Amino acid sequence: MFLTISTTGSPERSATDLGYLLHKHPGKTQAFSTSHGTAHVFYPEATAERCTAALLLEVDPVALVRRGKGKGRGGAPDAALAQYVNDRPYAASSLLAVALSGVFRTALKGQCVLRPELPERALPLRIEIPVLPARGGAELVHRLFDPLGWDLVQAEALPLDGQFPEWGDSRYVRLVLEGELRLADALRQLYVLLPVLDDAKHYWIAPDEVDKLLRAGDGWLAAHPENGLISSRYLARHKRLTQDAIERLELVRLAEADGSEVEELDNAVDETRDTQERPVPLAAQRREAILAALRAAGAQRVLDLGCGQGQLVQALLKDPAYTEIVGMDVSVRALNTAARRLRLERLGERQSSRVTLLQGSLAYTDKRLAGYDAAVLSEVIEHLDPERLPALEYAVFGSARPRTVLVTTPNVEYNVRWETLPAGHVRHGDHRFEWTREEFRAWAGSVAARHGYEVAYVPVGDDDPEVGPPTQMAVFTQPDTTTESTTESTTDPAAHTDTATDTPKEGEAA
């Protein structure tokens, strides 16, 4: 099996810097022993203008069988002859992924002793794999690689036999990737996705494989739209390990959504503003706006639906006005993190009796949610596919029916103010949509009309005169609990719709 990595030079940089990154000298041919054969590294070309490194793995099928790993797809034993006569020596698979991690271990870690500045540079890369098994065909190859920042993803189906085209295509493709990426990122993607496409592993799956997956997927897997499929195939469909991986990836996604990635955008400062003062993070401004709305509503028993790691629950617990606080999330791991954040095991009896954490999904009605004063859905709806919003709507407004419901979501119009956010991108990779103010008001108005609520709108963050605030919040109240407010009312005919027929069509808001 064979793989090449190529890059081109520039006036500021020689293409042979690739040798420093890979820790393999372009002037040498090197061989490395692996448990299933020999890996060779050599450079077919190495000039300042263009440099190509090749990894050739010679697999010994007999050694593979003698080690007890001659297993077929899903771990089922192959027929006796198939253990010796198969595609393992020729097609890129988990064998090549393991060789990649062994031979280019330092490059995968993003380290370079002699030139420490190099690993952080994005390079113009071209990666070619002549024969790659792809159970799912070229369409799956694109689903896996397209979201990862490559400019070109080419998956050319290979015919079963060139002399007999009527036999059709095989399950193998020729893969070409082109784009500007850090070399470490490209190698980590290959390390994970080669065995995923092959949908088979040559070694037994142990619990530490989850840790390997998350290490290699750091920075890209949590936000990948196919992370469930990737986890399942990488872990050979081991249900318990796959669930563990998905929960941990969800925790990473939640952390990014509430902290690192989004708050990096939240803290972006316009050059025209005073940069001497650190701005208040948007996540903190959201919580303050929610707490103010809850106080105005006089709520005492509150639901935090999609509570994540419990930041809002923690803020509510500090105020004795809230006698009962329930945090609910679909992720068990996020709830465990919330429990640690709240130090539930250390709370006194009086405090612990005020807070409850529940595992559940807003796609289904839940009798446990009925009878509360208020419910909060903070940065939740944009993580659902638009076609699932009616189920959430009925579960919250139709079944649970709290007197007050607060919903916050990004205002996509404000995205142009984020200097670090590329045009056309949403604020987080897991967002299924981000609505304009008009789209959000159309949805909120129709929900209110269908379920007997009134709705007002509150800007959260800097309310830009041209594009509005970064976060938009809708405050739904049942008519008998409506209180005076300085917020914008739906008496403005542009602020709501009066009939259910004005609900955004499926996919329209996305």
Side-chain angles (χ1 to χ4, degrees):
M1 54 187 77
F2 191 64
L3 174 150
T4 60
I5 304 170
S6 302
T7 188
T8 54
S10 67
E12 301 80 24
R13 177 185 53 79
S14 172
T16 54
D17 286 350
L18 183 63
Y20 287 102
L21 285 167
L22 295 174
H23 281 245
K24 302 294 180 288
H25 196 287
K28 298 180 180 178
T29 298
Q30 297 174 269
F32 305 86
S33 296
T34 73
S35 54
H36 304 99
T38 304
H40 303 270
V41 178
F42 56 95
Y43 289 76
E45 55 183 342
T47 66
E49 293 74 30
R50 182 177 175 84
C51 186
T52 298
L55 173 63
L56 171 65
L57 179 62
E58 289 184 302
V59 175
D60 183 352
V62 176
L64 189 63
V65 174
R66 286 176 178 171
R67 289 181 59 86
K69 310 300 182 184
K71 301 294 180 182
R73 184 184 181 191
D78 286 337
L81 181 60
Q83 294 183 68
Y84 297 93
V85 183
N86 52 52
D87 65 354
R88 300 297 89 177
Y90 315 108
S93 64
S94 60
L95 292 169
L96 183 60
V98 171
L100 198 73
S101 68
V103 175
F104 299 139
R105 182 181 304 275
T106 307
L108 264 102
K109 293 180 180 179
Q111 299 174 351
C112 182
V113 177
L114 296 178
R115 299 279 299 278
E117 77 283 359
L118 286 180
E120 294 306 313
R121 291 181 183 173
L123 301 177
L125 297 175
R126 178 182 173 91
I127 295 176
E128 296 186 51
I129 301 177
V131 183
L132 174 65
R135 296 184 188 271
E139 186 267 338
L140 179 60
V141 175
H142 282 279
R143 281 165 53 195
L144 296 183
F145 283 101
D146 283 348
L148 297 178
W150 295 96
D151 297 328
L152 170 69
V153 178
Q154 179 180 321
E156 177 188 347
L158 300 179
L160 283 170
D161 192 311
Q163 296 183 355
F164 299 97
E166 65 273 13
W167 288 4
D169 293 330
S170 68
R171 68 181 182 93
Y172 302 94
V173 300
R174 173 180 173 267
L175 176 66
V176 177
L177 304 171
E178 288 185 358
E180 287 204 9
L181 277 80
R182 294 170 63 245
L183 180 62
D185 294 336
L187 293 177
R188 289 171 186 165
Q189 293 170 15
L190 292 171
Y191 175 76
V192 172
L193 297 181
L194 290 182
V196 167
L197 284 165
D198 187 26
D199 200 13
K201 277 201 168 186
H202 68 277
Y203 56 86
W204 302 115
I205 301 299
D208 65 347
E209 289 297 306
V210 178
D211 296 326
K212 293 180 185 178
L213 173 63
L214 267 64
R215 283 197 299 271
D218 182 35
W220 63 273
L221 183 54
H224 198 294
E226 299 290 346
N227 62 20
L229 171 69
I230 292 170
S231 300
S232 177
R233 284 194 172 196
Y234 182 88
L235 297 166
R237 293 183 169 82
H238 192 296
K239 290 184 179 180
R240 183 176 61 81
L241 297 181
T242 300
Q243 182 62 33
D244 183 31
I246 291 173
E247 288 181 359
R248 291 170 66 178
L249 287 169
E250 174 69 5
L251 185 60
V252 172
R253 183 191 65 77
L254 289 169
E256 291 175 348
D258 189 75
S260 57
E261 180 175 335
V262 173
E263 288 193 6
E264 181 179 339
L265 293 176
D266 296 345
N267 292 332
V269 181
D270 196 306
E271 291 179 1
T272 62
R273 299 179 187 171
D274 180 9
T275 58
Q276 300 302 313
E277 237 179 82
R278 181 179 176 85
V280 178
L282 182 55
Q285 295 183 58
R286 275 196 298 266
R287 283 192 288 273
E288 286 303 315
I290 290 167
L291 293 171
L294 291 174
R295 285 192 294 268
Q300 294 181 311
R301 303 174 67 239
V302 179
L303 298 166
D304 182 8
L305 304 177
C307 66
Q309 299 176 24
Q311 288 90 338
L312 179 60
V313 173
Q314 185 179 42
L316 292 169
L317 195 57
K318 294 176 180 178
D319 189 338
Y322 302 107
T323 58
E324 186 175 353
I325 306 158
V326 174
M328 190 180 86
D329 202 279
V330 71
S331 169
V332 173
R333 188 165 293 274
L335 292 172
N336 290 337
T337 301
R340 290 194 295 271
R341 174 189 293 274
L342 300 170
R343 300 182 179 180
L344 290 184
E345 75 285 353
R346 300 182 185 179
L347 290 179
E349 184 177 348
R350 173 183 254 177
Q351 283 286 77
S352 63
S353 66
R354 295 172 56 213
V355 61
T356 304
L357 298 180
L358 301 176
Q359 195 275 334
S361 170
L362 293 176
Y364 307 96
T365 58
D366 193 329
K367 293 181 179 178
R368 298 174 298 177
L369 306 183
Y372 285 83
D373 299 331
V376 178
L377 292 91
S378 179
E379 309 300 286
V380 171
I381 61 172
E382 65 272 12
H383 291 277
L384 276 70
D385 292 318
E387 59 268 20
R388 300 185 68 184
L389 287 177
L392 175 145
E393 174 190 331
Y394 180 76
V396 176
F397 296 91
S399 177
R401 292 194 61 78
R403 293 204 306 267
T404 300
V405 181
L406 309 179
V407 179
T408 75
T409 193
N411 168 23
V412 71
E413 297 170 77
Y414 194 89
N415 286 359
V416 296
R417 295 293 186 256
W418 301 130
E419 296 181 0
T420 56
L421 185 65
H425 284 61
V426 293
R427 299 185 198 178
H428 188 269
D430 189 53
H431 286 184
R432 302 308 198 257
F433 60 86
E434 287 179 359
W435 277 336
T436 64
R437 288 168 290 172
E438 182 180 356
E439 289 169 330
F440 181 53
R441 290 183 175 196
W443 174 82
S446 61
V447 169
R450 280 193 291 271
H451 299 284
Y453 283 79
E454 295 179 354
V455 60
Y457 302 95
V458 179
V460 179
D462 179 25
D463 196 358
D464 189 286
E466 294 181 4
V467 297
T471 293
Q472 44 193 341
M473 180 166 73
V475 180
F476 297 84
T477 53
Q478 293 184 18
D480 59 338
T481 62
T482 303
T483 58
E484 292 185 3
S485 172
T486 59
T487 59
E488 182 180 354
S489 170
T490 56
T491 54
D492 177 2
H496 76 288
T497 55
D498 293 322
T499 64
T501 58
D502 288 326
T503 305
K505 295 183 177 61
E506 180 177 335
E508 182 177 295

